[in-house]
Amino acid sequence: MDLWSAKTQRRYQTMATENSTNKEVRTEILTNMDEQELQTILKEEATMKDSESTEKRNQDPLVGGYETAVSVSIDSLVIDYHPRKNLGDLKSLMGSIKRDGLLEPLLAYEMEDGKVALIDGYRRLAAAKEFGWKEVPCVIWKKMSKRDAAHLSYVKNAERNAFDPIEIAMHLKAMMERFGYSMRDLEIKGYGSAASISNKLKLLEVAAPVQEKIRSGELSMAHGIQIAKLPTQKEQERMAKRVIDEDMTAKRTERQIDRYLSKGKQKDDRPRIQVPDSDIPGVYMKDSRDMSEMPDKAVHLIVTSPPYSVGMEYEKGVTFEEHIEMVQGVLKECGRVLVSGGVMAINVGDIYNFKGREGKSKVSQVELMGHKYQSWLRSHGIFLTDTILWLKPMAAWRKRPDIQYTDVPHTTYTMLPNFEPVYIFRKKGERETPSEEIVLQSKLTKEQWTAWTPAVWKITPVLKAEGHPCPYPEELCMRLIKMFSYEGDTVLDPWLGSGTTVKVARELNRVGIGYEKEPQYKEVIMKKLGTGNVRADFEGVRKLMKEMGLSPGEEQEVKESHEEEKEETVVEHAEGQLVMVAAA
Ligand SMILES: C[S@@+](CC[C@H](N)C(=O)[O-])C[C@H]1O[C@@H](n2cnc3c(N)ncnc32)[C@H](O)[C@@H]1O
């Protein structure tokens, strides 16, 4: 629908006829007017209420009465410069044009080459194009320089709709670089003080994704100016995220960034422990009561789950007394290797159906374990500071076919322990803080903080464990590592099991170290970590040959070459597959 010709054109024609006597006078005065006067008039026009405008129009031949508006072909209008980069909600403008017609003509000027360039009406022009109009009403000024037109374009647009901070910065840049304005010129023209102009220009130094957040209003101009102080795109993006996540004020952002910059971009040069060679780097298949591979105070965080003394396959034949002795021995080593201020997160359940230390008691009871760990660790200067309740949403009686509703006499009901505690201990003293960069990198997001600080964690347990009877879920481990360590820290699990802690620690850019005494879990760990070699004895080769389906003749050949050449054969896990490769 051509609303210009159908509705609006009629309106302008009427106005032009009404004011025809003033036409020449106005055109002449407008084109020769100095810029300040021109602006005053434009401002008045824009702010006048309809009634005032009509009244004034009748009294003052210079104001209102768009008698100078002419129909201009849309295709002939040039956009040489326009400060509005964002068209905004064009639909609502189109709706209003549909309803009321185009209430105000576009504003343009004649360039030196005779082409007509738009000053004001970028969005109206876009709407007209959407409607498929061929022409638009336009007031055209002659004798206007490009630099004046650029400024006027900004003033006119700013009157109608505020620019976003990035548009302002881009305009200031264009004014200086393209149109030759000095800082002083801009001050005189009302763009603010030199300092504020320089600050606004800094917004153009921030990374594009951060600029987008300023545009969308997620970050203010003041935030952007602070973030621009950060030298790299990565640092800027990280800080922007943090500002949004933590709802930081501009003042707080400034303090954080200044502190960060004053500390300097220190490299993360904390002493690293050398991980001695082992078949699986960083994993020791041995009893962790002796962790002599680890120097004192070399570990920043311990995340672990010990045996519970509940008759699992790896604790067969171990009495409760022996179990306690083993745990105490491992905790002592943990106390030695943990840094001051370091955290030890222990997931340990209580013992249900406990039949006494000798296992002979007729009374079946619950043996609480947390307080035992608390008192053992206290003697190493490590104190209980928090508890987390890991809630297992999948637990249900139907998973215990040995216990039937019909078999349970009233009042003898027992509870289904669908939770396990995770105890958070801290070693006394203060731990070293890494560089600000690492601190920023490691900090929880606001969402994580909100979700993880309430102490009940609902996490689905591992439902189908492969190769180990009771791995804990990676999610549990991930939260603990993210909450209680920095990137680059060393994380230890002295009861490694299937290797979960080391896997997750490495995925989170930490150094993962583990101890596991049962050799049968070596392959499980290798598979989980996706790395490491096992030097195979001939049993390993035999197993491999079986898997490969070699004929007895081929098998003999491999056996001979293995024995005669004393060739070291290495079985590697390559993408989860067992493959045989020649030893290096
Ligand atoms: C509860 S499981 C750990 C499961 C582990 N969190 C996972 O996700 O796979 C405890 C593990 O500690 C191991 N273990 C028991 N005593 C040990 C010791 N003294 N030194 C090293 N490992 C030990 C057991 O063989 C078992 O694999």
Side-chain angles (χ1 to χ4, degrees):
M1 179 172 33
D2 188 344
L3 289 173
W4 158 232
S5 49
K7 203 187 272 178
T8 321
Q9 198 166 21
R10 246 197 333 275
R11 182 199 304 257
Y12 287 112
Q13 276 163 359
T14 319
M15 279 162 38
T17 328
E18 277 170 9
N19 295 289
S20 58
T21 46
N22 302 325
K23 192 174 175 182
E24 283 78 21
V25 184
R26 177 181 165 87
T27 311
E28 199 190 322
I29 294 177
L30 278 178
T31 46
N32 291 314
M33 196 178 278
D34 88 35
E35 198 191 289
Q36 215 170 349
E37 292 171 82
L38 188 61
Q39 271 184 53
T40 316
I41 287 174
L42 290 172
K43 243 192 182 121
E44 276 187 45
E45 282 182 357
T47 50
M48 262 193 301
K49 301 270 181 304
D50 252 13
S51 56
E52 286 171 359
S53 142
T54 317
E55 202 185 313
K56 207 160 184 184
R57 233 184 258 133
N58 295 336
Q59 297 162 358
D60 185 348
L62 295 183
V63 179
Y66 299 109
E67 69 279 12
T68 54
V70 289
S71 253
V72 172
S73 140
I74 283 185
D75 293 339
S76 70
L77 264 177
V78 175
I79 302 196
D80 181 58
Y81 172 73
H82 206 279
R84 176 90 52 211
K85 310 292 175 214
N86 189 349
L87 282 172
D89 179 11
L90 206 55
K91 272 203 185 120
S92 92
L93 174 64
M94 288 173 73
S96 113
I97 295 175
K98 242 185 209 169
R99 207 173 41 248
D100 306 318
L102 190 63
L103 295 175
E104 202 182 333
L106 280 62
L107 187 62
Y109 75 107
E110 206 175 285
M111 295 195 295
E112 276 171 14
D113 59 5
K115 286 186 182 149
V116 176
L118 190 71
I119 293 176
D120 177 39
Y122 191 53
R123 297 179 69 238
R124 276 166 286 159
L125 181 65
K129 283 182 183 165
E130 285 289 318
F131 284 131
W133 295 359
K134 299 279 174 280
E135 295 182 333
V136 278
C138 193
V139 173
I140 303 170
W141 273 304
K142 298 182 191 294
K143 294 190 193 166
M144 184 174 280
S145 67
K146 278 191 178 195
R147 66 197 307 264
D148 286 344
H151 172 59
L152 187 56
S153 179
Y154 180 81
V155 173
K156 283 293 290 173
N157 275 277
E159 274 169 4
R160 193 171 301 105
N161 247 324
F163 284 106
D164 72 51
I166 300 297
E167 283 174 326
I168 296 175
M170 286 170 110
H171 173 67
L172 290 169
K173 186 168 188 254
M175 291 290 274
M176 295 180 88
E177 291 180 2
R178 183 169 165 200
F179 301 111
Y181 284 85
S182 66
M183 192 66 97
R184 184 81 194 114
D185 294 337
L186 292 177
E187 279 184 294
I188 292 168
K189 288 240 172 255
Y191 285 94
S193 68
S196 102
I197 293 171
S198 307
N199 269 336
K200 286 170 189 158
L201 285 168
K202 281 186 193 145
L203 294 180
L204 300 178
E205 290 164 24
V206 299
V210 181
Q211 286 191 9
E212 273 315 306
K213 299 211 179 310
I214 297 172
R215 284 215 135 119
S216 67
E218 285 173 271
L219 294 171
S220 69
M221 183 188 293
H223 284 124
I225 290 167
Q226 294 308 322
I227 291 172
K229 292 181 190 165
L230 294 166
T232 68
Q233 170 161 350
K234 211 169 147 205
E235 287 165 298
Q236 292 176 353
E237 285 186 50
R238 222 170 23 230
M239 192 64 199
K241 185 168 182 329
R242 208 179 138 199
V243 169
I244 295 168
D245 286 347
E246 295 177 25
D247 212 1
M248 278 163 76
T249 60
K251 200 77 211 131
R252 195 173 144 221
T253 309
E254 181 180 7
R255 274 200 306 273
Q256 292 277 336
I257 291 177
D258 288 350
R259 222 185 75 208
Y260 171 56
L261 292 173
S262 71
K263 269 203 163 189
K265 268 185 63 189
Q266 305 147 354
K267 282 227 309 287
D268 187 22
D269 49 7
R270 290 172 289 164
R272 288 264 177 283
I273 62 156
Q274 287 299 313
V275 181
D277 277 349
S278 62
D279 284 351
I280 312 170
V283 173
Y284 303 96
M285 299 305 298
K286 62 178 282 205
D287 192 315
S288 53
R289 275 175 282 189
D290 166 22
M291 295 196 274
S292 48
E293 296 79 8
M294 308 292 291
D296 294 357
K297 297 191 174 181
V299 169
H300 302 95
L301 169 67
I302 297 171
V303 176
T304 194
S305 180
Y308 292 7
S309 190
V310 288
M312 301 301 281
E313 63 182 32
Y314 47 76
E315 45 192 13
K316 285 270 173 323
V318 179
T319 66
F320 186 67
E321 293 301 336
E322 287 164 344
H323 168 74
I324 297 288
E325 202 184 303
M326 181 277 289
V327 171
Q328 285 180 307
V330 176
L331 294 184
K332 184 172 173 219
E333 272 292 79
C334 289
R336 178 182 68 79
V337 299
L338 190 63
V339 295
S340 300
V343 169
M344 181 163 186
I346 308 180
N347 161 223
V348 60
D350 299 317
I351 306 173
Y352 289 78
N353 291 324
F354 185 69
K355 298 268 171 60
R357 293 190 159 232
E358 307 291 320
K360 290 179 185 152
S361 167
K362 291 217 167 56
V363 186
S364 166
Q365 38 177 324
V366 178
E367 183 72 354
L368 296 175
M369 295 304 290
H371 69 287
K372 295 191 202 297
Y373 282 78
Q374 182 178 22
S375 94
W376 296 328
L377 283 169
R378 202 182 271 144
S379 65
H380 303 300
I382 299 176
F383 303 98
L384 181 64
T385 55
D386 269 305
T387 51
I388 294 164
L389 203 71
W390 166 24
L391 185 67
K392 302 175 178 179
M394 310 302 286
W397 281 121
R398 70 187 139 75
K399 296 217 164 102
R400 295 283 310 271
D402 53 318
I403 301 172
Q404 297 294 320
Y405 166 72
T406 42
D407 300 340
V408 186
H410 188 53
T411 78
T412 67
Y413 307 116
T414 54
M415 305 308 290
L416 179 73
N418 61 340
F419 69 91
E420 281 186 24
V422 179
Y423 299 106
I424 306 298
F425 293 91
R426 277 167 212 272
K427 189 167 172 179
K428 70 169 186 276
E430 284 232 351
R431 67 154 289 178
E432 241 179 71
T433 316
S435 71
E436 278 290 305
E437 195 183 0
I438 302 283
V439 173
L440 275 179
Q441 233 160 269
S442 311
K443 195 165 165 55
L444 295 188
T445 63
K446 192 174 179 186
E447 287 78 31
Q448 288 167 340
W449 178 81
T450 312
W452 300 348
T453 42
V456 178
W457 288 1
K458 196 170 172 184
I459 299 174
T460 308
V462 178
L463 299 174
K464 238 183 95 194
E466 272 175 27
H468 193 281
C470 52
Y472 52 30
E474 290 186 14
E475 172 77 19
L476 179 81
C477 192
M478 181 272 285
R479 291 188 191 184
L480 294 167
I481 293 176
K482 286 203 89 158
M483 284 186 86
F484 299 117
S485 69
Y486 294 101
E487 286 194 17
D489 273 1
T490 299
V491 179
L492 166 75
D493 188 343
W495 290 291
L496 184 62
S498 64
T500 315
T501 310
V502 169
K503 173 178 188 261
V504 177
R506 290 177 184 174
E507 283 169 358
L508 296 173
N509 293 331
R510 274 75 170 170
V511 178
I513 308 278
Y515 283 80
E516 170 55 54
K517 75 168 173 44
E518 293 293 328
Q520 79 244 34
Y521 301 137
K522 188 169 186 173
E523 277 202 12
V524 185
I525 296 170
M526 283 169 62
K527 197 167 174 189
K528 201 167 242 189
L529 299 185
T531 56
N533 301 331
V534 179
R535 291 192 189 289
D537 56 12
F538 191 68
E539 270 319 297
V541 178
R542 195 192 304 282
K543 191 172 162 227
L544 196 63
M545 288 191 301
K546 221 169 131 196
E547 281 179 19
M548 291 165 81
L550 297 186
S551 68
E554 289 167 323
E555 203 174 313
Q556 187 56 28
E557 229 177 274
V558 176
K559 189 169 186 230
E560 278 164 14
S561 86
H562 181 82
E563 282 169 355
E564 280 170 26
E565 295 169 26
K566 300 269 182 294
E567 181 184 62
E568 265 190 316
T569 306
V570 178
V571 180
E572 275 192 358
H573 271 89
E575 292 170 357
Q577 296 293 311
L578 269 179
V579 291
M580 190 165 75
V581 296

